[in-house]
Amino acid sequence: MKLSLTQGIATIVITLLGSGVFIVPALSATYSGWASLILWFVMAIMILPVAFVFGKLGIMYPSAGGSATFVKEAFGKKSGFATKLLYLSIIPIGPPVVIITAASYLAGAFGNQYLIEFIFLASAIILILNLMSLTISSNINIAVVITIITIISLFFIVSLFQKFHITTHDFHIIQTLGIIFWCFVGIEAMSHISHEFKNENDFFKAVVIGIIIVAFMYMAVTFSLLVFNAYGSEDKNLHSLVIVASHIMPYADKIMAIVAFIICIMALNLYVASLTRLSTTLNIGFKKALFIIMGIIFAISVFKFLFDFKIDLLITYSNGVFVLIYFLVSLAALKILKTKTSFFAVISMGIIITILGFDMIYALVSFVVFLFISQIKEKFA
């Protein structure tokens, strides 16, 4: 069955909220205080042109190849193949962040001794969902999106009636914009399922409407955290929404833990779906690709806790990869579409690349290596 517009909007909203809604607003408030509200708006404006070009290209080239297909159409097979490998390189560094966040919320509410078990549970659920129809997952997304929007709206409304003061705070614009970008990662994942919409124009509408909804949701969450002072330390940041919820409802820790777990699972479900579909374009069977991808994600998630390396490192490297993919797609759009929107998308991503600076090294080095591999592949093909 094909996806409807409503299912598409729900999928992009749940993907962009994902694990980010449970930690990034608190980090942005920690970095820049009340000024972070402005930076959320700035990032939303910067990402909209990119959403437009993804939507337009998704309609023109509906394919499981997604971003790689767009780049191939603009710059040739070698660049397209390198982009495909670049997107697949996200497997060990991006999805584990979501699994870890999901498991950590459950562990915080029900016992840290079950952390590994919760990681396994999350991985198993995603595996099962991907073995089922994407339409089933999309229907679940609708219910989950309604739930999280209701919760965030409730937090925001209650916050408006609290006594609060807009205080001065250090302003770290580069660091804040860098971490905020993480919350708008997911547009490229939608491009891999653009061919699964009932109406080809619905893909474009779903991406743009989804971005707008998500931008308002993140600003509402950040406002609530600022009002209730639910940010500032690592412990507060990791449990920010639980702190706000505790002022509003009983058993807040367990309720928010379950909600967070479900949202993270459904967000990662689309990523795994897009990665699996992209892998099939490399002549790998769907089930084989799915089990390999989930095996890698599970292993890295467990290693994180066994060796206690920083999750910030995974987010940093992931950001660099996604920014580069967005930049390449924007360049492809500039060549194919030749519109002002695609030009603004290139400028927007160029600014973000400059902001990230050295955090782009992993992505840039990987892409150069993948270009070299694509040249060798073409030579011996």
Side-chain angles (χ1 to χ4, degrees), residues 288-314:
K288 181 179 180 181
L290 176 59
F291 278 94
I292 291 174
I293 289 168
M294 287 310 305
I296 294 172
I297 293 172
F298 176 74
I300 296 297
S301 300
V302 172
F303 286 159
K304 190 274 176 193
F305 287 102
L306 292 179
F307 298 102
D308 196 32
F309 57 82
K310 292 286 186 180
I311 196 171
D312 293 10
L313 194 64
L314 296 178

Side-chain angles (χ1 to χ4, degrees), residues 237-291:
N237 292 342
L238 285 172
H239 301 92
S240 55
L241 289 189
V242 171
I243 294 172
V244 176
S246 65
H247 291 277
I248 301 171
M249 63 181 82
Y251 307 108
D253 58 337
K254 291 180 172 56
I255 293 172
M256 287 307 303
I258 295 171
V259 171
F261 183 79
I262 294 172
I263 289 175
C264 289
I265 292 301
M266 297 312 299
L268 186 53
N269 181 61
L270 176 64
Y271 271 111
V272 174
S274 68
L275 289 164
T276 305
R277 282 159 175 75
L278 182 59
S279 298
T280 60
T281 66
L282 295 172
N283 296 320
I284 303 174
F286 178 83
K287 288 186 178 180
K288 181 179 180 181
L290 176 59
F291 278 94

Side-chain angles (χ1 to χ4, degrees), residues 208-251:
V208 175
I209 294 172
I211 287 284
I212 294 171
I213 292 173
V214 165
F216 279 109
M217 288 298 100
Y218 272 118
M219 291 178 72
V221 170
T222 305
F223 178 80
S224 300
L225 300 186
L226 288 163
V227 169
F228 286 103
N229 193 33
Y231 67 95
S233 66
E234 184 171 87
D235 184 61
K236 276 188 173 184
N237 292 342
L238 285 172
H239 301 92
S240 55
L241 289 189
V242 171
I243 294 172
V244 176
S246 65
H247 291 277
I248 301 171
M249 63 181 82
Y251 307 108

Side-chain angles (χ1 to χ4, degrees), residues 3 5-22 98 129 134 136-152 182-187 189-190 193 206-207 209-211 213-215 217-218 258-271:
L3 300 177
L5 176 59
T6 302
Q7 290 171 325
I9 293 172
T11 301
I12 189 68
V13 169
I14 200 68
T15 302
L16 295 182
L17 287 177
S19 61
V21 73
F22 298 101
V98 187
L129 285 172
L134 188 62
I136 295 175
S137 299
S138 300
N139 288 332
I140 297 173
N141 283 338
I142 294 174
V144 175
V145 165
I146 292 172
T147 301
I148 188 60
I149 287 179
T150 301
I151 291 173
I152 291 174
W182 170 256
C183 293
F184 291 98
V185 164
I187 304 170
M190 284 291 289
I193 61 169
V207 170
I209 294 172
I211 287 284
I213 292 173
V214 165
M217 288 298 100
Y218 272 118
I258 295 171
V259 171
F261 183 79
I262 294 172
I263 289 175
C264 289
I265 292 301
M266 297 312 299
L268 186 53
N269 181 61
L270 176 64
Y271 271 111

Side-chain angles (χ1 to χ4, degrees), residues 122-177:
S123 302
I125 292 173
I126 293 171
L127 181 64
I128 292 170
L129 285 172
N130 271 271
L131 289 171
M132 300 165 65
S133 168
L134 188 62
T135 307
I136 295 175
S137 299
S138 300
N139 288 332
I140 297 173
N141 283 338
I142 294 174
V144 175
V145 165
I146 292 172
T147 301
I148 188 60
I149 287 179
T150 301
I151 291 173
I152 291 174
S153 299
L154 176 62
F155 288 178
F156 179 68
I157 292 169
V158 172
S159 300
L160 288 174
F161 292 93
Q162 304 299 311
K163 289 183 178 180
F164 62 89
H165 302 282
I166 300 177
T167 57
T168 57
H169 194 285
D170 291 338
F171 186 48
H172 303 287
I173 181 170
I174 292 177
Q175 194 173 16
T176 308
L177 284 175

